[in-house]
Amino acid sequence: MTLARVQGLIATGGRPPIGHTLGFQLVDAGDGWAAFEGVPGPEHYNPQGTVHGGYAATLLDSACGIAVVTKLEDGQSMTTLELKTSYLKAMTEKTGKVRAEGRVISIGRRVAYTEAKITDEAGRVLATATSTLLVINP
């Protein structure tokens, strides 16, 4: 997948299979960056009554991964090797729409480094992540 294919996915609705399950979609991408949006709700709650950290981690991982995909050449793919997530503010159904933006910090022939953050509509940062991804060559 390349930037052109990522932008094609956006043009057709931007919803990867996991996006159907968790209710988020790819909304924008460019050279070395990608953005997903979703609206967390009670269906994403943990037993404590807030959105499960896995929801945020999945959005952040998706943003980091697709940011890298925009830099790949035809035939290349990637996979996450490591994701470090920090949760700064709890999400609930009252949070509203959230946006996860990922950016490539550095990409080489075999490894990419990225960062991402989730913000609410007021621009408050809710969670951040850094990620290391393996670039898979044909």
Side-chain angles (χ1 to χ4, degrees):
M1 190 175 264
T2 62
L3 175 56
R5 290 183 63 198
V6 168
Q7 290 173 332
L9 177 61
I10 294 167
T12 60
R15 190 157 278 188
I18 189 71
H20 290 284
T21 302
L22 294 180
F24 67 84
Q25 65 189 45
L26 177 62
V27 295
D28 205 0
D31 184 24
W33 66 275
F36 286 82
E37 290 181 348
V39 180
E43 66 275 18
H44 305 119
Y45 278 15
N46 60 32
Q48 297 179 99
T50 59
V51 173
H52 192 283
Y55 179 85
T58 302
L59 280 171
L60 292 163
D61 187 42
S62 297
C64 287
I66 296 300
V68 169
V69 167
T70 68
K71 302 290 282 180
L72 298 180
E73 297 174 8
D74 282 330
Q76 289 183 309
S77 61
M78 63 77 204
T79 190
T80 302
L81 291 173
E82 176 266 341
L83 181 74
K84 195 263 186 212
T85 306
S86 296
Y87 303 97
L88 307 173
K89 186 171 175 68
M91 288 186 272
T92 70
E93 64 183 311
K94 295 178 184 175
T95 301
K97 186 189 307 182
V98 297
R99 180 178 177 96
E101 283 193 32
R103 297 196 179 279
V104 173
I105 298 168
S106 174
I107 187 168
R109 201 175 82 68
R110 298 285 296 159
V111 177
Y113 301 94
T114 61
E115 62 186 7
K117 66 181 177 179
I118 295 177
T119 55
D120 64 12
E121 291 182 291
R124 291 179 291 234
V125 179
L126 307 175
T128 63
T130 56
S131 184
T132 306
L133 299 100
L134 176 67
V135 176
I136 303 168
N137 294 291

